[in-house]
Structure formats: structure tokens, C-alpha cells
Amino acid sequence: MRLSKFHLATVKEVPADAEIVSHQLMLRAGMIRKLAAGLYTWSPLGLRVLRKVEAVVREEMNRAGAIEVLMPAVQPRELWEETGRWEKFGGQLLKMKDRKEAWYCFGPTHEEVVTDFARAELHSYKQLPLNFYQIQTKFRDEIRPRFGVMRAREFLMKDAYSFHLSAECLEREYWNMYNAYTRIFTRLELKFRPVQADAGAIGGSVTHEFHVLAESGEDAIAFSDGSDYAANVEKAEAMAPATGRTAPAAALERVATPTQRSIDEVSGFLGVAAAGCLKTILVRGNDGLVALCVRGDHEINEIKASKLAELPGEPVLADEAEIVKALGCKPGFIGPVGLPDSIPVIVDRDAAVLADFVCGGNQDGSHYRGANWLRDARLSRVEDLRKVVDGDASPDGKGQIRLARGIEVGHVFQLGTKYAEALNASVIDQSGKSQVLAMGCYGIGVSRIVAAAIEQNFDAAGIVWPEPMAPWRVVLCLINPKNDTNVAAVADALYADLQARGVDVALDDRGLRAGGMFADMELIGIPHRVVVSERGVAAGTFEYRARRDSESRQLSRDEVLALFA
Ligand code: ATP
Ligand code: MG
Ligand code: MG
Ligand code: MG
């Protein structure tokens, strides 16, 4: 690609409303442009990266034996009524009407559509097993789209759905996909960790999430430092009761202290947390009004602190019963229930950096966190979680639990027969009997990966792409071509040579000064830079520098070519 004929649009200033580094750098590099909340145009540069990620995903899915399909993004209401998800899916489902007043949704996921396809296409066990996948635009009306394409409303997902006669066969494919995911994230040179996850509302039993490790991640994951055990915090907590973990009174004190807040502190917190606030609950603790909860799904009662009145959502003064109802947790879990002075603070899960965790307890200290605490612990700062979890051994008995933050980039599920039953998708088995299909589903956030990769790969100058997803592998920087036409000829020849060898190369022939050109190429993260200048041409050398290196080297033409052999 000759950059004089491309469209690059880099920006020097850090965009004011971009909170995390990947969002800032994607805007500064001119990879994406916002259309509206959670909706982004991928520029030619951004799209090159997206397509590279997509290509790796596609290659590994094909290698793993999955078969590509393409399903409609717009899906009829009737199908979603069959599984009950037209109502159950909630606010993330974007619903719309056509001119005949028939309802549709923009697909947030495709279990319904693919199962409809399967019930029409599959008749006999002889056709199984099968795994259909697509790479396609999804829409989820996220409560708070943010971080650019990291949590967008419209985003690109690879979603796969497998069909089987038996649970054993499903399990085999599940691990086949798990291994394919491991290959994908390894090839993309990401630091990642597969973790056990909670099946939650989607159904099924066995499920893993793949997390790219990053401090900016919205999810907390727990892992053992002495074994392979790793889980997202919801799952880790779900496991905890089975291990008989209880908290001694001293631990409660320890847990309680860091979360104790005066109303002033809480208000102060809120002032900052306001951007993420939806609605607010204040809890009356033993020593006054000390706790705060921000949630989007409960009744509004009464505004208390003056600071709270400025919030976009309305605060609520609630008693324990209301909180229990709102959070769906056990009585005694929250509120003044035996701890002298420890009503904790919960802050909006979207305001992760400010968040504290929920705890509560019984008089005897035997139960100090309900089954929900981990759901809310997602809110927590890692330091706070660490204080709580410190010293609880790993559920597998090997090593200590550690915590990290992660970005969910992939998710695999054994769904079982849930969707096939609802939609009546079955085949004839070996004995001629009709049998409901067992299903697995496997998602990857293709567009989210682009942002997640930047969270792990950047420096002061900009993005440092892992080679497999760089927009170009190497850039030839053409300096001052007007002073010596031979320079342009040398650059053209090297460019043609590299192209002929199949190297993904860009030629920066925009006529910029060296400083500006280098800054651009560093910002957009090109892994290799080769400078073609008058001085170099005269000496028969090229100045070469890898994006991660601090020094340049002078290379001969053959040495340059050998780098990309
Ligand atoms: P999250 O917990 O981040 O909301 P999810 O669990 O709702 O994600 P899945 O239903 O598991 O998402 O979808 C598969 C993949 O799609 C996720 O692992 C993630 O990488 C990606 N994804 C989900 N929601 C978004 C979004 N709003 N923007 C970008 N990618 C997303
Ligand atoms: Mg989600
Ligand atoms: Mg998730
Ligand atoms: Mg998920």
C-alpha cells in the first residue's frame, strides 16, 4: 500500500472522553470514528487490523472443523417467542417493527436462528456432529457502552454452534473449541487465561471464558498460584460454599474496616462515580447512613444527600428488606446485621475503578457473604478483593487464590438440549427414534480483541501491534525524495521486491518530514520500519528499526530482505 493513496488520519491530542489507553490510541491512530453511542465506523486503517484478527479466527475455526455460514442479523419475534427470550433477554435486545407492523430484533446472538436452521436441515444422526460458525455484526443495547469498541452496542462477533446426538460428543467438541480458542489467542500473541465461568441465565452447565489480562478489564478473575485452577469471580464464589469456607469474626472485622465510609466519603465517592450512576440506594447502617448502592433495576424512593441530588439517576433510601429485594440476595447479606459498624459500599459496576464490594454477616460470623457477593465483587477494585480473598485457599486445595482483571474475549458453553428442546430440533438416531439435539455455543469478540490487544501492547509513542494483527508488517519510510530522485526509485524497487515476496508492506510516500512520519508509524504501531534516505542510498544501506527496539541499525538490502524471508 502506498500511503499517499491511502487514508491515514492521526491525531496528536489525547481525546478527552476516552478513559482507557486502547480507546485513546484507536482514536489517535484514526482507526475508528464514533457515529453515536456504541456505534463506530472502522476507518481503512482500523479495518485492516480487524480483518487480520478475523482471518486468524476464521483459519483456526476452519482448522478445527467448523463450517462457515452467514445468518441474518435481523430476526423475527416469533422465533424468540419460542424460546421465551423475546421477553427474558431484557433491555439489550433491540426491537423494531417493519412496515406491516411485524416485530423483529437485531440479533444480539444467534441460538434461535441457528437452531431454526438446524431443525430444517438436520434429519439424521448420520449428518452429525456439525459445527456452524459465522463472523457477523451483533447489536446489544448495552446500558453503558464505553471504552470505544471494547463495549460497543454494534460489534463483530464470531459465533459458532455445534449439534450432537450425545452429551459425550458435545463434550468432545467443547474441548476441541477450547483448544481452537487457545490457538487463536496464542497466535494473536495475547496474554490470556481461560477461566471457569458461571452458566448463569444462558443455561447449560460447563462453560469457560477466555480473558485477556489487563488492569482496565471489567471482570475480576480468581486463579490459583499453585495449580491450573482459574475462574471468574462469580464461579469462584459459587464454588466456595462447597469447600466449607467460613469467615472467622476476625476476618469480618478485617473485611469490614476498609469499606466503612462516612456519609461524606460516600457522597464524595458519588461525585466521581456519577458518570456511571443509574440509580442509587443508601443503606441505613448501625452508625448512620453509610452505604451506597448503584443499580439500574429497582424502585426509586427518596433523595437524601444533597450531592446525590445532582446525579443523573435518582438515589434511594432503602431499608434492608428493600435492598434484599433489589439485589435478589439473602437477608442478612446486606445491612446492619451483626457487624457493629461495617456497612459496605457498592458502586456501579461500570465505575469499576471506584468500586468497593458488598459484604454482610450473621451474628456469629458464619456467613459473611451471600451467593451474590461475587456478582457484585465484579465491582471491586482488585486491591479490595485481595483483602477479602487473601488466605482463602484455592477450591482445588492447591495453592492460594490470586486475583487479576480481565477482558472477556471469548466464551464457550455446553448448552445441552435447552434450545433444541424449545425449538423442537431433533434427528432420527441409530435405532430410528427421534432424539433432541445437544448443542454447544462458542463466541469470540472479534472487534473487542483489537482493543484488548492494545491494552497489552503500547508505549509512550503509541500502539505496538503483535505482528499477526498489525495493519502492515513493515513500512518503508521515504525521506526527502525530491532532493534525489534515485531515492524514490530505490524505495519503489524495494517495495516491489517485498511485495513480490508476499510481505505485507506499506510505502510511506506522503512526503512528510522524517519526524512526523516516524511519529505516525509509531503511533499506528507498525512492527518494522525501514528508512530509505539520500544518505542511506549513497552508502548502500537502509536504516532499520523494530517497533520495540530503542536503537536503529544500518542494514544492506539483502539483510532487509532476509528479515522478512
Ligand atoms: P460481557 O460480559 O463483556 O458483557 P458477554 O458475556 O455478554 O460479554 P457473550 O454473550 O459471551 O458476551 O458473547 C461472546 C463474546 O462477544 C464475548 O466474550 C465478548 O468478547 C464479545 N462481546 C460481548 N458483548 C460485547 C460488546 N458490547 N462489545 C464488544 N464485544 C462484546
Ligand atoms: Mg454482556
Ligand atoms: Mg460475560
Ligand atoms: Mg460471556
Side-chain angles (χ1 to χ4, degrees):
M1 179 63 65
R2 287 177 182 274
L3 296 188
S4 61
K5 303 213 160 44
F6 193 69
H7 174 74
L8 274 189
T10 56
V11 183
K12 276 212 182 64
E13 300 73 37
V14 177
D17 56 348
E19 298 164 74
I20 61 170
V21 74
S22 58
H23 190 193
Q24 291 168 0
L25 287 174
M26 286 182 81
L27 290 170
R28 284 187 53 209
M31 292 176 63
I32 52 171
R33 188 171 285 277
K34 182 171 167 178
L35 174 67
L39 304 177
Y40 289 87
T41 295
W42 289 81
S43 75
L45 180 74
L47 188 62
R48 288 187 73 89
V49 179
L50 187 68
R51 291 285 183 248
K52 295 232 169 151
V53 174
E54 203 182 313
V56 170
V57 171
R58 181 175 277 114
E59 238 176 78
E60 292 300 335
M61 290 303 290
N62 290 342
R63 190 197 307 277
I67 313 168
E68 189 163 2
V69 294
L70 186 59
M71 294 178 268
V74 175
Q75 312 179 8
R77 170 184 179 156
E78 292 71 33
L79 196 55
W80 282 71
E81 296 278 13
E82 285 189 62
T83 58
R85 290 212 295 183
W86 183 257
E87 292 307 328
K88 261 192 261 162
F89 205 88
Q92 288 202 359
L93 195 61
L94 177 66
K95 298 173 177 176
M96 56 210 167
K97 263 195 295 196
D98 71 5
R99 66 173 77 200
K100 293 181 191 143
E101 304 273 305
W103 281 98
Y104 293 82
C105 65
F106 196 108
T109 179
H110 276 67
E111 282 83 8
E112 278 80 1
V113 176
V114 78
T115 311
D116 178 70
F117 180 69
R119 71 181 167 187
E121 299 279 323
L122 307 180
H123 314 288
S124 158
Y125 72 94
K126 289 181 188 155
Q127 295 169 287
L128 301 179
L130 275 172
N131 188 346
F132 297 118
Y133 82 93
Q134 64 174 349
I135 298 177
Q136 194 228 27
T137 299
K138 300 280 188 269
F139 190 97
R140 294 183 182 181
D141 200 355
E142 300 280 357
I143 290 182
R144 194 174 168 228
R146 60 177 195 159
F147 299 160
V149 298
M150 189 79 89
R151 182 167 299 282
R153 294 199 295 170
E154 195 176 296
F155 59 97
L156 193 64
M157 196 200 285
K158 185 286 298 173
D159 46 329
Y161 307 86
S162 68
F163 295 93
H164 312 267
L165 202 59
S166 70
E168 295 71 40
C169 183
L170 163 60
E171 198 183 332
R172 271 199 301 281
E173 181 60 14
Y174 179 83
W175 292 110
N176 179 38
M177 283 292 107
Y178 181 101
N179 293 334
Y181 276 34
T182 301
R183 278 198 302 274
I184 288 167
F185 299 123
T186 303
R187 269 185 68 179
L188 293 172
E189 298 176 13
L190 296 168
K191 291 181 219 51
F192 70 97
R193 197 180 269 276
V195 306
Q196 295 177 23
D198 218 16
I202 295 124
S205 49
V206 182
T207 167
H208 284 83
E209 290 167 357
F210 285 74
H211 285 268
V212 162
L213 303 174
E215 271 304 309
S216 60
E218 291 183 280
D219 292 325
I221 59 175
F223 62 94
S224 167
D225 62 6
S227 72
D228 285 341
Y229 176 80
N232 67 15
V233 285
E234 290 90 345
K235 177 72 175 181
E237 177 60 7
M239 300 278 293
T243 66
R245 193 178 68 192
T246 55
L252 286 180
E253 300 275 319
R254 195 159 51 86
V255 169
T257 312
T259 60
Q260 188 182 334
R261 306 274 183 217
S262 71
I263 185 62
D264 287 340
E265 283 175 282
V266 169
S267 299
F269 245 63
L270 246 194
V272 201
C277 286
L278 296 161
K279 289 170 190 169
T280 314
I281 306 171
L282 292 175
V283 183
R284 193 183 292 284
N286 286 5
D287 57 352
L289 209 51
V290 286
L292 155 72
C293 173
V294 186
R295 306 251 320 158
D297 54 358
H298 59 77
E299 295 296 303
I300 299 164
N301 285 337
E302 194 182 332
I303 298 173
K304 270 297 155 188
S306 58
K307 189 88 178 165
L308 303 184
E310 296 159 18
L311 295 176
E314 285 104 327
V316 178
L317 178 63
D319 62 22
E320 192 197 341
E322 281 175 283
I323 304 286
V324 163
K325 190 161 155 252
L327 292 186
C329 60
K330 289 178 193 148
F333 166 54
I334 285 189
V337 285
L339 302 178
D341 56 4
S342 65
I343 303 306
V345 179
I346 318 170
V347 179
D348 180 9
R349 77 173 54 220
D350 285 336
V353 282
L354 301 167
D356 261 320
F357 52 84
V358 189
C359 67
N362 294 330
Q363 302 283 357
D364 63 0
S366 63
H367 167 76
Y368 74 110
R369 277 176 255 140
N372 282 325
W373 86 268
L374 273 176
R375 189 186 66 201
D376 293 304
R378 286 182 66 152
L379 314 175
S380 307
R381 282 177 295 197
V382 169
E383 310 88 86
D384 292 331
L385 275 169
R386 227 167 242 142
K387 286 181 196 132
V388 182
V389 181
D390 194 24
D392 298 341
S394 176
D396 65 2
K398 294 180 203 145
Q400 299 291 304
I401 285 290
R402 302 273 170 246
L403 288 149
R405 288 225 154 256
I407 300 166
E408 183 191 322
V409 289
H411 202 160
V412 292
F413 277 100
Q414 290 183 35
L415 291 171
T417 54
K418 180 179 157 156
Y419 289 93
E421 244 160 52
L423 291 162
N424 199 13
S426 53
V427 295
I428 301 299
D429 70 11
Q430 293 92 328
S431 59
K433 281 208 292 285
S434 171
Q435 198 166 312
V436 177
L437 292 166
M439 270 177 82
C441 76
Y442 320 93
I444 286 185
V446 176
S447 48
R448 180 179 282 183
I449 286 174
V450 176
I454 297 174
E455 291 295 322
Q456 287 187 339
N457 298 283
F458 68 93
D459 63 15
I463 302 167
V464 187
W465 288 116
E467 282 204 29
M469 63 174 96
W472 295 279
R473 197 171 162 212
V474 51
V475 60
L476 304 184
C477 290
L478 176 53
I479 310 287
N480 279 336
K482 287 198 189 80
N483 297 352
D484 177 356
T485 46
N486 194 31
V487 178
V490 169
D492 279 348
L494 183 58
Y495 175 61
D497 219 350
L498 284 166
Q499 276 192 321
R501 291 161 192 246
V503 179
D504 191 14
V505 53
L507 174 63
D508 195 345
D509 57 350
R510 294 176 298 162
L512 262 59
R513 299 165 70 104
M517 194 188 301
F518 294 170
D520 269 359
M521 293 306 114
E522 285 174 12
L523 175 59
I524 70 172
I526 309 304
H528 304 276
R529 182 181 82 196
V530 175
V531 181
V532 191
S533 66
E534 224 172 323
R535 197 147 42 111
V537 168
T541 59
F542 299 87
E543 184 190 289
Y544 164 78
R545 184 159 160 188
R547 179 66 180 78
R548 289 181 195 277
D549 289 352
S550 50
E551 302 281 318
S552 303
R553 289 187 278 153
Q554 297 298 327
L555 300 182
S556 70
R557 193 174 197 280
D558 284 348
E559 285 170 328
V560 169
L561 291 175
L563 279 180
F564 307 106

